[in-house]
Amino acid sequence: MQIVASIVLYRHSHADIEPTLASLLSEETIEKIVLVDNGGADWAADLHNPRVDYIRADSNRGFGAGHNLAIEKYRRRSEYFLICNPDIHFGKGSVSALYHAAQQNKYKFISPSIVYSDGSKQFSCRLLPTPVNLFARRFMPNLAKDLDEKYELRNADFSKVFPVPSVSGCFMFLESDLLASLEGFDDRYFMYMEDIDLCRRALKYTDIIYYSDVTITHLFKKGSYKNKYLLLQHIFSSIKYFNKWGWFFDPLRRSKNKECLKSVPTRADT
């Protein structure tokens, strides 16, 4: 198979993900779309589309664990794997363009340009976070505004193609062999931070490429900014992340962030 796409569902209706499914099904290079039901999406078992596979999780163990079920089943049967949120849509040919770019340039890990539904830019390319980056964003917004300029590479020239330390988990295009080497997501994160964790582990094997020639739309509801339960999950995952990789002493974070800031093209350069 050329590409397998994976979506994790939890209490989503068919209407919720119809734009995402339509976008994925329009791509000839995507041979299988795996819907992982973490709960409340039994309808997905009855789609009866030969290109759609349904996996029912035994329980809701979170975003990463859900995708891991699809990764484990298909990573040895596909060239590339697309990690996709259920609130994504894009024009026909977008994934095929990523596929051909990956093949031609030997990219192992790509993320496209991502915009909101109104067309405004989502700053999905980021440095590896420090504790200040994450906690200031939630509790000290005035301080975070200045920090985000650097953390989210807001001065970058996003019309160019360039490597970055971390990208959003809403749309990740990876070689299946790379995912196999990484053994998928670290499922100790129930939700949040699993994408950053995957990125920093991938940096051992490859650059992560921001690919400006493809644009996708992500609704991005920012649930943890509105829901106290999701906020707690975000905090718990952040603590797990920094316990794992280091709160204040993290040589990889320092070196990769410094390398990125030195090499990333900026608007001032154009």
Side-chain angles (χ1 to χ4, degrees), residues 131 135 188-189 193 197 235-250 253:
F135 290 101
R188 287 176 292 182
Y189 304 99
M193 304 304 294
D197 181 275
I235 292 171
F236 292 152
S237 288
S238 297
I239 291 170
K240 289 177 183 178
Y241 175 86
F242 291 116
N243 283 344
K244 179 178 179 179
W245 296 111
W247 286 78
F248 303 106
F249 181 71
D250 183 349
R253 177 177 69 205

Side-chain angles (χ1 to χ4, degrees), residues 114-270:
I114 302 175
V115 299
Y116 293 101
S117 55
D118 65 1
S120 60
K121 179 72 177 174
Q122 281 189 29
F123 292 98
S124 56
C125 300
R126 297 171 182 175
L127 301 177
L128 294 176
T130 67
V132 174
N133 286 133
L134 294 188
F135 290 101
R137 298 183 93 203
R138 302 314 307 265
F139 304 111
M140 294 176 285
N142 290 333
L143 173 61
K145 184 177 180 181
D146 293 333
L147 292 172
D148 279 350
E149 291 290 323
K150 181 178 178 181
Y151 173 55
E152 295 184 330
L153 304 173
R154 292 191 175 218
N155 196 41
D157 181 356
F158 288 105
S159 68
K160 303 290 180 62
V161 174
F162 53 88
V164 294
S166 176
V167 294
S168 168
C170 72
F171 197 96
M172 292 174 158
F173 189 84
L174 307 93
E175 268 194 358
S176 295
D177 285 347
L178 174 61
L179 267 179
S181 298
L182 299 175
E183 298 183 343
F185 288 96
D186 184 339
D187 59 15
R188 287 176 292 182
Y189 304 99
F190 180 73
M191 59 191 307
Y192 305 113
M193 304 304 294
E194 65 282 291
D195 52 350
I196 299 173
D197 181 275
L198 184 78
C199 286
R200 69 171 295 146
R201 288 187 288 120
L203 291 171
K204 176 182 176 181
Y205 301 94
T206 185
D207 287 333
I208 299 170
I209 303 298
Y210 164 75
Y211 192 72
S212 57
D213 291 349
V214 172
T215 299
I216 63 118
T217 300
H218 178 211
L219 297 185
F220 195 32
K221 298 179 180 178
K222 292 188 177 181
S224 68
Y225 284 77
K226 305 170 185 176
N227 182 298
K228 289 183 179 179
Y229 171 76
L230 295 179
L231 172 60
L232 287 174
Q233 290 298 329
H234 205 158
I235 292 171
F236 292 152
S237 288
S238 297
I239 291 170
K240 289 177 183 178
Y241 175 86
F242 291 116
N243 283 344
K244 179 178 179 179
W245 296 111
W247 286 78
F248 303 106
F249 181 71
D250 183 349
L252 178 69
R253 177 177 69 205
R254 179 178 297 177
S255 65
K256 289 297 181 180
N257 288 354
K258 183 177 180 180
E259 179 184 320
C260 176
L261 291 170
K262 185 177 180 179
S263 64
V264 66
T266 64
R267 294 194 299 271
D269 297 331
T270 59

Side-chain angles (χ1 to χ4, degrees), residues 52-160:
V52 177
D53 188 17
Y54 172 79
I55 298 176
R56 188 195 306 273
D58 293 335
S59 61
N60 181 14
R61 296 176 52 230
F63 176 90
H67 279 296
N68 283 347
L69 294 175
I71 292 167
E72 180 60 30
K73 185 172 181 178
Y74 283 103
R75 68 185 183 184
R76 294 178 181 86
R77 291 192 261 169
S78 61
E79 294 179 70
Y80 294 90
F81 217 94
L82 173 59
I83 304 296
C84 187
N85 268 26
D87 56 352
I88 294 286
H89 65 272
F90 48 83
K92 184 176 181 179
S94 297
V95 174
S96 294
L98 290 175
Y99 174 73
H100 294 306
Q103 288 198 313
Q104 291 170 7
N105 298 286
K106 298 183 179 180
Y107 295 148
K108 296 179 181 293
F109 193 154
I110 315 179
S111 180
S113 175
I114 302 175
V115 299
Y116 293 101
S117 55
D118 65 1
S120 60
K121 179 72 177 174
Q122 281 189 29
F123 292 98
S124 56
C125 300
R126 297 171 182 175
L127 301 177
L128 294 176
T130 67
V132 174
N133 286 133
L134 294 188
F135 290 101
R137 298 183 93 203
R138 302 314 307 265
F139 304 111
M140 294 176 285
N142 290 333
L143 173 61
K145 184 177 180 181
D146 293 333
L147 292 172
D148 279 350
E149 291 290 323
K150 181 178 178 181
Y151 173 55
E152 295 184 330
L153 304 173
R154 292 191 175 218
N155 196 41
D157 181 356
F158 288 105
S159 68
K160 303 290 180 62

